Amino acid sequence: MSEQAADDISGTPAGGPRRLRPRPAVAETAAMRALLIATAIGFLGLFVVLPLVAVFVEALRRGIGHYLETFADPDTQAAIRLTLTVAAIAVPLNLVFGLSAAWAVAKFDFPGKSLLITLIDIPFSVSPVVSGLVFVLLFGAQGVLGPWLAAHDLQIVFAVPGIVLATVFVTVPYVARELIPLMQEQGVSEEEAALTLGASGLRTFLTVTLPNVKWALLYGVLLCNARAMGEFGAVSVVSGHVRGLTNTMPLHVEILYNEYNFVAAFAVASILAGLALVTLVAKSLLEWRYGDALGRSRLY
Amino acid sequence: MMSGDCRRVERPRRMTMLLLALGLAMTAGGGVPAAQAQSATLVNVSYDPTRELYRAINDAFAKEWRARTGQSVTVRTSHGGSGRQARAVIDGLDADVVTLALAGDIDAIARESRKLPAGWQARLPSNSSPYTSTIAFLVRKGNPKGIRDWDDLARPGIAVITPNPKTSGGARWNYLAAWAFELDRSGGDAGKAETLVGAIFRNVPVLDTGARGATTTFVQRGIGDVLITWENEAFLAEKEFGAGAFDIVYPSLSIVTEPPVALVDQVVDKRGTRAVAEAYLQFLYAPVAQRLMAAHFYRPARPEHADPADLARFGSPRLVTIDQVFGGWAKAQAEHFADGGVFDRIYQPGAPQGTRGTPSLRPGAATR
């Protein structure tokens, strides 16, 4: 079909006695191809690779000793610990929620389904600052629940729970959004087959549904984790910026930078950038090792 | 296809287990350290430029407190625009002590959260201000635009950097100092003062939320011809980036800035930190701390404890106080910075009256 279409476009008389040979999908000249490739690489280099390299260059500007010294600072250690803690809470929560939401949306019909999809998308469309402010307005001392929380000596905003809440809020869509299109495309026939053969609902989910989406799920988790660790805006609003207590890594980078401590600022930034690189490498490895399975899950 | 998938079932399980284990390890390692019996933690919520000062003072205080009581104390600090910090305390940030840029912000905490009594400012010497400062200009090396006084900032083509008076205490002092200058020069004509201050703010390409943000805009990003800032911030920038990169210019008239400190009664009683928090505030008036303040370019309330060489660095513009010119913070705040006050009139485009065709100027507008 596409073979014929390509023939028609290139003006070859259809049905002529010609050898069957694969034709290139695009027929640009070599110069044009070189230009397109150079543009793409140049763009990537300028906007992705260069800033990333700059982070590491700045971090190592005064030698590896200075770089490592940054991490001896207890405030920096506390920031790293807090960020890891927050991610360790937010990511599993979103894994469970994202998987169940995607499963519900893709495999079942129920009233309010489109409302659920819209709700999942809200954190994408709301500015992170607003997401943070919502929690201050809800749980702050002057907020709706403020007096009740104060009476029970519960601290939500300007403490770790607030930071976790804000992070969970902004990362809600990542896992679900990665899974929904794939699961919808896969349909329910395999599950139906499993159920017909007598498998229980749970077994069907664990042995049919889950394996079918494993790569998309892992990819969603990687993205979710990167965002959870890197979130600045929403966390900034609910953090209070008390160093050693409520300061996450991205906030700590800003503080160090504002204190003219550029090496330390970029050193902490390099960890965040390193995380991005690890995510990238993990993704590439997955694609290389399990290209077929991933390719199938990328059909949508 | 089905069978192919079934064979791979084992792998994701292992992956899930790995992720789970990783998550657990992170949580286990990431717990917030529990308070030990022999140590206390104070939270000092401060304004923007005091980062270096309080790092030095906190160390000195911890040493002194340990020598006196045997208890180790960690003072945690948070820095940001003074108004924003006050807002955070009102919204529930548990600060044992607040050390903000101006009395008005602590008044706001007392008024809106009732976490400390309205008469807080009388509880410590010198209006609860262990040091004062003033407002000066930082210009590029050699002062290429010839900036000498407040009216130079209103000249067309001068790019002025100042933070936003709505969020920054320093910016409110900047604004009031300019106002006081024109009021003094014109013999008390508030209309002329409004014109001058309006013209200065029309020359501002970026309004940062705090003093340090404005300094980095001027110093690091190289935007603007002049930075209006705290004297201490100007000296610090000069020190950090080497003398010769910038010049400090004192206007003919400036304002005495009084950044006060206060105990947040409700928080220290809840956390049981009253004794150490009170000692911390008292310590700010002790010779050691007073000397450190002068070393960090603040004007100590008790200059006799400071190194005379540190004091000799300061310039001597004619200084007025907020009480003399504006009748105190409560009045200045209501008249100039409250919603619908003079600043809103000067600053917002298309205001109904009295703007004299002010061109649009939006917060955060990056370029002109």
Side-chain angles (χ1 to χ4, degrees), chain A residues 85 141 155 212 240 258-259 290, chain B residues 5 11 30 55 78 91-92 212:
Chain A
T85 310
Q155 180 90 7
N212 272 341
N258 274 343
E259 286 171 3
Y290 302 104
Chain B
D5 276 334
R11 215 176 288 279
R55 186 170 310 137
S78 164
D91 283 333
R212 188 52 61 82

Side-chain angles (χ1 to χ4, degrees), chain B residues 134-143 147-148 218 226-227 229-239 243-251 297 299 313-315 317:
Chain B
T134 187
I135 300 300
F137 306 151
L138 194 66
V139 297
R140 309 251 170 236
K141 183 184 180 179
N143 198 357
I147 291 157
R148 300 263 157 254
F218 182 76
V226 53
L227 171 73
T229 191
W230 304 89
E231 180 183 48
N232 50 275
E233 184 74 357
F235 272 100
L236 180 70
E238 202 191 32
K239 181 183 142 198
F246 306 99
D247 289 335
I248 294 171
V249 172
Y250 283 95
F297 315 109
R299 301 181 177 214
R313 297 178 295 195
F314 298 134

Side-chain angles (χ1 to χ4, degrees), chain A residues 75 78 81-82 84-85 87-89 92 95 136 139-143 153 155 157-158 160 190 193-194 206-208 211-212 214-215 218 221 225 229 236 239-246 254-260 262 286 289-290 292-293 296, chain B residues 1-2 5-6 8-9 11-13 15-16 19 22-24 26-27 29-33 41 43 45 48 51-52 55 76-79 84-85 87-94 112-113 115 212-213 215-216 219-221 233 236-237 240-241 270:
Chain A
D75 286 348
R81 237 182 356 248
L82 179 61
L84 293 179
T85 310
I89 300 171
L95 191 150
V136 173
F139 301 115
Q142 311 287 306
D153 206 17
Q155 180 90 7
V157 285
F158 307 116
V160 177
E190 290 183 21
L206 289 179
T207 56
V208 177
N212 272 341
K214 59 195 171 189
W215 301 118
L218 189 61
V221 166
N225 185 52
M229 291 196 178
S236 172
S239 143
H241 303 263
V242 183
R243 56 191 80 189
L245 288 181
T246 61
E254 189 204 24
I255 283 187
L256 291 169
Y257 184 80
N258 274 343
E259 286 171 3
Y260 309 122
F262 303 119
L286 286 175
R289 174 74 178 75
Y290 302 104
D292 290 350
R296 225 182 316 133
Chain B
M1 176 175 177
M2 277 288 286
D5 276 334
C6 282
R8 287 224 188 87
V9 165
R11 215 176 288 279
R13 273 212 195 121
M15 199 75 75
T16 318
L19 276 175
L22 206 69
L24 280 174
M26 283 171 172
T27 326
V32 179
T41 303
V43 174
V45 171
D48 222 6
R51 301 154 186 266
E52 294 76 13
R55 186 170 310 137
R76 309 260 185 217
T77 56
S78 164
H79 298 274
R84 194 177 106 184
Q85 295 289 77
R87 189 69 241 172
V89 174
I90 291 167
D91 283 333
L93 176 57
D94 271 350
E112 292 194 30
S113 75
K115 282 181 180 168
R212 188 52 61 82
T215 310
T216 28
V219 167
Q220 284 290 108
R221 295 167 59 198
E233 184 74 357
L236 180 70
E240 284 293 329
F241 292 91
K270 186 175 89 182

Side-chain angles (χ1 to χ4, degrees), chain B residues 12 18 30 42 64 111 122 148 168 188 224 279 291 314 358:
Chain B
L18 194 78
L42 282 184
E64 206 243 28
R111 190 177 58 244
R148 300 263 157 254
S168 157
R291 198 181 168 84
F314 298 134
T358 311

